[in-house]
Amino acid sequence: MRAPILVPTVLRNLAKKPATNLFPETEPVPIPEDFRGIISYNVDKCVGCRMCVTVCPAGVFVYLPDIRKVALWTARCVFCKQCVDVCPTGALRMSNDFLLASYDNYDDKFIPLKEEKIEEVRRKLEEKKKAKGQGV
């Protein structure tokens, strides 16, 4: 009877080192230049064009019309980078962060636009409206 084809491969690999990086015990491997980490969002650059909302296949973006910005739920992200490619102002970019494990989908690291920042943007918009009203 002939030995299965996999047996020689298994025996050869028993003597080799693991092909994977034992990350928690060792340093992680260097990140390549075109790595797609978690989305980084610069709220101040965002003009509220909603292009990211249109192209996102995972439904990460929610448009907030009262402040003309988008809110992100990055725990849904599939790292396709379509939003980054389509953003006209460069408000979105892919970071090098890859340690994303969490038991909580509502963890702070998954919500770049927090309630405090939304309130700050609302205050700035109101101040601009008041300044325009006084300047007329």
Side-chain angles (χ1 to χ4, degrees), residues 54-66:
T54 306
V55 300
C56 182
V60 171
F61 300 92
V62 177
Y63 182 65
L64 304 173
D66 58 331

Side-chain angles (χ1 to χ4, degrees), residues 31 35-38 79 94-100:
I31 297 172
F35 182 76
R36 295 180 187 177
I38 195 166
F79 306 100
M94 301 302 279
S95 70
N96 289 335
D97 298 335
F98 63 90
L99 299 174
L100 306 177

Side-chain angles (χ1 to χ4, degrees), residues 2 4 9 15 24 31-32 40 42 49-50 54 62 67 72-73 75 77 80 82-83 91 99 101 105 112-114 119:
R2 191 180 139 114
T9 305
I31 297 172
S40 175
N42 186 339
C49 68
R50 294 178 281 196
T54 306
V62 177
I67 62 169
L72 286 71
W73 185 15
C77 186
C80 67
Q82 291 182 32
C83 57
L99 299 174
N105 279 348
L113 187 59
K114 306 219 180 0
E119 290 302 320

Side-chain angles (χ1 to χ4, degrees), residues 3 6 13 15-16 18 28 36 39 43 48 55 58 68 71 73 75 85 93-94 98-99 105 116 129 131:
L6 289 177
N13 286 330
K16 289 184 179 179
R36 295 180 187 177
I39 298 172
V43 180
V55 300
R68 290 184 234 122
W73 185 15
D85 293 340
R93 66 176 187 82
M94 301 302 279
F98 63 90
L99 299 174
N105 279 348
E116 304 87 44
K129 286 179 185 177

